[in-house]
């Protein structure tokens, strides 16, 4: 039961993050609560998509163990999470602090 609940929660977060990334890429505008902090929304959107894919891959690797090597899947998802975070950081304005 807990696996199903965590699967639904992670799926909802991944979908929301992916929608925000696609919106930033296609329209060139950031999500409303981040508009003052993001300088390059398309770069930030690419990072959001890579981060969401890494999160989905990590969740997939935690559940499916029959045909895959869990260590390899986790390493790939960790690389995707880190690179997505770096792309999002580069897309933000430098020196802007949230108040």
């Amino acid at each position: 039961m807990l696996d199903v609940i965590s699967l639904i929660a992670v799926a909802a977060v991944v979908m929301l993050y992916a929608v925000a990334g696609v919106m930033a890429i296609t329209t060139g505008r950031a999500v409303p609560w981040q508009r003052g902090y993001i300088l390059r929304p398309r770069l930030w959107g690419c990072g959001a998509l890579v981060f969401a894919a890494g999160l989905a891959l990590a969740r997939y690797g935690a559940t499916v163990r029959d045909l895959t090597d869990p260590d390899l899947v986790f390493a790939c998802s960790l690389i995707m999470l880190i690179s997505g975070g770096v792309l999002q950081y580069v897309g933000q304005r430098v020196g802007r602090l949230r108040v």
Side-chain angles (χ1 to χ4, degrees), residues 12-23:
V13 168
V14 165
M15 288 304 295
L16 288 173
Y17 221 76
V19 165
V22 168
M23 186 181 84

Side-chain angles (χ1 to χ4, degrees), residues 39 61 66:
L39 180 63
D66 294 337

Side-chain angles (χ1 to χ4, degrees), residues 25-67:
I25 291 172
T26 57
T27 63
R29 297 180 67 182
V31 290
W33 58 88
Q34 289 283 342
R35 284 204 181 124
Y37 304 105
I38 296 177
L39 180 63
R40 294 176 289 274
R42 288 193 169 87
L43 182 64
W44 185 90
C46 290
L49 284 179
V50 171
F51 190 85
L55 190 59
L57 185 62
R59 183 64 180 113
Y60 171 78
T63 57
V64 178
R65 296 176 191 225
D66 294 337
L67 301 175

Side-chain angles (χ1 to χ4, degrees), residues 10 14 50-64 68 70 72-81:
V10 169
V14 165
V50 171
F51 190 85
L55 190 59
L57 185 62
R59 183 64 180 113
Y60 171 78
T63 57
V64 178
T68 60
L72 181 64
V73 172
F74 180 72
C76 291
S77 68
L78 189 61
I79 290 169
M80 290 175 75
L81 287 168

